[in-house]
Amino acid sequence: MATRPDRRMILTMFMLTTGFQIDSWRDPRSRIEDVGSLDLIADMARAAEAAKLHAVFFGDGVDVGTIRDNNIRNTGLYEPISSIGALIGVTDKIGLVGSLSTSFFEPYNAARQFAGLDRLSGGRVGWNIVTSLFGGAQNFGLDAMPSPEARYDKAAEFVDVVGALWDSWTDDTVIADRVSGQWARTEGIVDIDHSGAHFRVAGALNMMRPPQGHPVLFQAGQSAPGMRLGGTVADAIYTAQSDKRAARAYADGVREIAAAAGRDPHDLKVLPGVVPIVAETASEAEELSRELAGYIDLDAGRRRLGAAVGFSVADLDADEAIPAERFAVNPGNNSRWETWRRMAVDEKRTVREMIVDFARAGGHRILIGSPGEVADSMIDWFEDGACDGFNLDPPSIPVGMRNMLDLLVPELQERGYFQTEYSGDTLRERMGLPRPTGRRLQVPALAGDAG
Ligand SMILES: Cc1cc2nc3c(=O)[nH]c(=O)nc-3n(C[C@H](O)[C@H](O)[C@H](O)COP(=O)(O)O)c2cc1C
């Protein structure tokens, strides 16, 4: 008899309503006309909840981004805070994770928004801490994006301040004592008096401590300062990895950072993205993959690839590889660029292959096959310590998503690698994460106080 695995994967789903694969919305079965509606995200979140996924996840950008180039992946068409607010009312158990940029918000607002969502959802919310990889500076009074180092420096302080604000109330501050007429033990509320390089915040927060103590913190940085932030403060890390050895090295790297910061590395969940193109059989999956690839606009694809690598590929033959010398300088010092360089220079992929790959996976791993084959590959990474689970990127909506949730997830469940029921009350508990303790009230409990 096959032995059962002793730990299970964490699975979340990227809420890309037009499909993860660029142009996949051209599929006649897509729901492109519904984009912007609550119905569409409600259906997606409920489907993910029926599959028992831990959470759905909204990325975000703060500028018009690639929309003018007809690329609507990774844009802010659904603003995360409002979308999560709406989804709280139509889901029950699934976690709801949203990106919010530390480059262009204020910690006090962010602390309130996530505390509010966490309270309204009964502890189901997560914050994906991003520094705005995709730009947006000009919308916030700046001429250019600050350097990655400057963005991460600000991000670290931002996260510190938000955490301090969440902890500015003890868990037992509110007593709502009708007899004495006392609503809160006001000594449980302390000002944070923060004064740093980027923010000055007196505090305290004007809201109760969130049910989870802190909403679950996600982060997705792959540069050295990004890994430092993630390893130090995040509960879970999203990452784009296409090679198992590199994924393992990355996971070990952030776990080491966590350990050096005095954390238990098991409290940091590493979740690479994966794009599973699955169907009942391997040949049907290949067929679906070909069909989806057929929607990719190759001319627009050249421009998108050019924008991603930071130089034009307009003059190159579709069947040749990008010459190595064009990859002389990494323009934004960003880690995703390294993936493109490796594909072109080390793996000699052609321009056409890179266009398809960029449209399909954007640096994440693509797995095409039967549910058994795709599950095998995910389990291989999981068992090798390259990850603690995955962020599932639905290749297209609804077909690619439905196959992923209805064929692949049950395969993982049957093999004991994924939960068949929700356990625990909060997203933190369901992900096996500790609850931050916060401060304790230094005064004796009131008579008749249970806590
Ligand atoms: C799954 C995933 C989702 C991401 N979502 C966002 C996002 O919504 N908004 C954003 O500005 N950046 C997002 N990023 C980018 C990261 O925040 C980060 O900037 C990127 O991974 C590059 O890391 P680095 O700047 O540390 O090199 C995402 C990255 C990954 C892997």
Side-chain angles (χ1 to χ4, degrees):
M1 207 177 79
T3 52
R4 305 297 281 177
D6 57 7
R7 59 188 191 112
R8 288 179 170 174
M9 292 178 186
I10 291 169
L11 295 180
T12 65
M13 180 172 90
F14 206 159
M15 289 290 274
L16 285 170
T17 53
T18 59
F20 192 82
Q21 184 191 293
I22 297 173
D23 298 333
S24 63
W25 59 266
R26 297 170 71 193
D27 181 337
R29 298 159 293 186
S30 83
R31 293 185 59 181
I32 194 65
E33 291 79 8
D34 295 339
V35 169
S37 74
L38 175 57
D39 269 358
L40 177 53
I41 53 172
D43 287 348
M44 289 174 67
R46 283 189 293 237
E49 187 169 66
K52 313 296 180 205
L53 262 50
H54 288 85
V56 291
F57 152 66
F58 289 90
D60 197 32
V62 285
D63 67 340
V64 69
T66 55
I67 294 175
R68 288 206 179 96
D69 198 28
N70 223 9
N71 170 4
I72 47 179
R73 176 173 73 189
N74 284 346
T75 55
L77 291 173
Y78 280 93
E79 188 282 316
I81 301 293
S82 49
S83 302
I84 290 175
L87 289 180
I88 288 172
V90 298
T91 55
D92 185 28
K93 298 256 196 294
I94 194 160
L96 303 164
V97 180
S99 303
L100 182 140
S101 171
T102 54
S103 298
F104 302 122
F105 285 78
E106 282 289 325
Y108 199 87
N109 299 339
R112 296 192 69 215
Q113 287 172 313
F114 282 103
L117 291 173
D118 204 46
R119 175 90 23 213
L120 291 171
S121 66
R124 290 195 280 138
V125 165
W127 168 27
N128 182 37
I129 304 157
V130 298
T131 66
S132 293
L133 174 67
F134 311 115
Q138 288 83 355
N139 293 330
F140 298 89
L142 298 177
D143 293 327
M145 286 300 285
S147 69
E149 289 73 19
R151 297 209 305 275
Y152 277 114
D153 190 53
K154 189 172 179 187
E157 187 181 335
F158 192 116
V159 176
D160 264 1
V161 175
V162 169
L165 286 168
W166 286 332
D167 291 342
S168 65
W169 293 41
T170 60
D171 283 318
D172 54 1
T173 290
V174 177
I175 50 171
D177 184 15
R178 285 191 169 80
V179 177
S180 67
Q182 197 180 355
W183 181 71
R185 291 193 276 209
T186 47
E187 59 276 29
I189 303 173
V190 294
D191 289 339
I192 67 167
D193 285 327
H194 175 86
S195 180
H198 303 279
F199 303 105
R200 282 179 55 207
V201 183
L205 204 63
N206 55 355
M207 298 168 81
M208 293 92 89
R209 193 164 190 256
Q212 297 186 96
H214 297 181
V216 180
L217 299 183
F218 289 70
Q219 204 266 339
Q222 300 198 194
S223 58
M227 288 172 72
R228 207 158 48 236
L229 177 68
T232 313
V233 306
D235 298 300
I237 294 204
Y238 283 140
T239 170
Q241 301 286 345
S242 49
D243 170 78
K244 185 169 79 172
R245 272 226 319 263
R248 174 73 206 255
Y250 174 82
D252 286 345
V254 286
R255 288 175 190 134
E256 270 165 34
I257 293 169
R263 306 177 59 195
D264 180 344
H266 294 107
D267 293 342
L268 177 61
K269 311 295 182 188
V270 181
L271 309 174
V274 63
V275 189
I277 305 186
V278 200
E280 297 274 4
T281 63
S283 62
E284 285 170 277
E286 286 293 343
E287 175 62 36
L288 177 61
S289 153
R290 267 195 302 277
E291 197 186 316
L292 293 178
Y295 295 123
I296 299 168
D297 177 335
L298 287 179
D299 289 334
R302 256 179 204 275
R303 289 197 305 277
R304 292 167 189 157
L305 181 60
V309 292
F311 51 76
S312 172
V313 292
D315 58 317
L316 298 174
D317 191 287
D319 295 312
E320 67 175 311
I322 303 175
E325 54 273 20
R326 294 204 188 179
F327 283 95
V329 183
N330 182 341
N333 192 23
N334 94 46
S335 51
R336 210 70 74 88
W337 186 90
E338 269 306 316
T339 309
W340 308 124
R341 195 203 55 78
R342 198 181 63 232
M343 285 169 71
V345 179
D346 302 347
E347 300 169 17
K348 299 273 177 284
R349 305 254 206 121
T350 66
V351 168
R352 186 195 312 276
E353 285 168 344
M354 287 186 62
I355 289 171
V356 170
D357 201 281
F358 177 75
R360 253 188 192 161
H364 292 258
R365 192 159 66 118
I366 315 165
L367 296 173
I368 304 168
S370 67
E373 288 167 338
V374 173
D376 279 346
S377 178
M378 291 169 68
I379 290 168
D380 177 44
W381 278 41
F382 181 69
E383 288 289 4
D384 265 16
C387 63
D388 300 287
F390 297 91
N391 186 34
L392 300 174
D393 300 319
S396 68
I397 304 292
V399 176
M401 177 187 76
R402 219 162 40 215
N403 289 4
M404 186 178 89
L405 296 178
D406 296 351
L407 301 173
L408 175 60
V409 173
E411 174 78 21
L412 292 167
Q413 287 170 325
E414 270 162 38
R415 291 161 70 168
Y417 280 95
F418 190 59
Q419 63 190 6
T420 52
E421 282 305 331
Y422 287 108
S423 61
D425 291 328
T426 64
L427 178 59
R428 256 182 200 285
E429 288 174 15
R430 292 179 184 132
M431 290 178 68
L433 295 165
R435 183 179 188 278
T437 45
R439 293 179 302 107
R440 300 222 179 273
L441 201 53
Q442 297 301 318
V443 296
L446 293 187
D449 183 8

